[in-house]
Amino acid sequence: MIKKAAFYTLGCKVNQYETEAVIDIFLDSGYQIVDFSEEADVYIVNSCTVTNEAARKTRQIARRAKRRSPGSLVAIVGCYTQAFPDEVSEIEEIDLVMGSNNKAKILDKTEEMLAGRDVDTKVKEYKQLRDYEDLNLKRLSNTTRANVKIEDGCNQFCSYCIIPYARGPVRSRKKEDIVAEVKKLTKQGVKEIILTGTHLGAYGSEKGNSQALTELMQILTEIDELQRVRLSSIEGTEIDSGMMDLISKEDIFCPHLHLPLQSGSDKILKAMKRPYSVKEFKETVAELRKRIPNLAITTDVIVGFPGETETTFKETLDLVKEIGFAKVHVFPYSAREGTPAAEMEQLNGNLVTEYSKELRVVNEALMLDYQKKFLGEKKEVLIEEVRDHQTNLLTGYTDNYLKVLVDGPDKLKNELVEVKLAETFDSYHILGKIID
Ligand code: SF4
């Protein structure tokens, strides 16, 4: 009888990439992949630990799976188990616990367990994670855009972040493996590649090569069929002059950078252990804008970090407006157990909510301002495979990260089409007209 496996992914693009690669391994071995809400023989939860809430959700999802199919094998793998293996092992409904490496072995361990054999499930300490584990994407559920993982781990230890304990030190994927995967994906019709990593800009740094990401980007320009490349998120301090040149001169690189700011106050940045000051961040943005016209700069901001005051929050609001981000992802700070910031004096939760609301209002206005700059212009839009469920229009992104709604037939899905940006729909969408 064909065995059924179901997967659930929490967290970031790196986790999504890894789940897709593990699904390929299960498919190759004859498993049928079913929705997580259906009955299955094996449930795999690729967990996240970035907040206490993500960990709680992981536990809840795993428990529900066991209740649905009591005879099934439920496995939790990934960041949560890596950072808190003992906590996860205590959950009665979980049969198999694996950390954030060895994901290629999930199938083997599952099979051994189903066959009634003892399985070594000891999670290695994060400092012992030494090699980049190569997983490969073979098929994709969505061919419009594909995440390609190039790096794992982080050595930065920002004071609020649990990731270095969950992913271990920086390990980079071999350039030739990345190029082979990108070629394979473009042959399958993928138009846009998003280079992802736990700490993308640290690519190659464990070998002392600070130019490694720029070198990789240069190599990608030689792949003829590749239409678009986006970087998932990068520290401003890690963008060198060569990278700026490539983004400005080579059409395949989207003029869009996600630079996590986190705070507009030097006092808070220092407490967060971020590697730049407000002045340095502003200088990077100014240089980028000089060299890359129409660059979209998006960001993350953590609101209500320990020590935040009216003054530091106002500094953040002012800086966010001054820079004029195309979009701000607002993260209300919540203490992550196991991090230094969790030991600091915490703000009142209501204040954190209030600050977050205020910044979200500013963000909506910034997004509208950003859209307005491009009204009347012609832009290429990569049409997504799924229609917008509210309007039933086709959706897609421009290279500079405007989300566009257009009327058109299904055959345009996964195509790059020329569109005139006509009017604002709301702060998240712009209405466009396809140019015949
Ligand atoms: S750079 Fe900082 S925020 Fe990003 S993963 Fe590393 S520790 Fe976390």
Side-chain angles (χ1 to χ4, degrees), residues 204-221:
S205 63
E206 80 277 27
K207 297 185 187 88
N209 183 359
S210 60
Q211 310 285 307
L213 183 54
T214 306
E215 288 165 12
L216 173 69
M217 289 167 69
Q218 180 68 54
I219 297 170
L220 294 181
T221 63

Side-chain angles (χ1 to χ4, degrees), residues 154 156-158 160-161 163-164 198-199 235 274:
C154 177
Q156 201 159 277
F157 291 91
C158 299
Y160 54 82
C161 185
I163 298 294
T198 309
H199 184 163
E235 301 284 4
R274 299 289 294 160

Side-chain angles (χ1 to χ4, degrees), residues 417-432:
V417 295
E418 188 88 8
V419 167
K420 181 164 183 203
L421 303 176
E423 59 181 292
T424 288
F425 180 76
D426 59 24
S427 43
Y428 291 87
H429 305 86
I430 212 167
L431 280 172

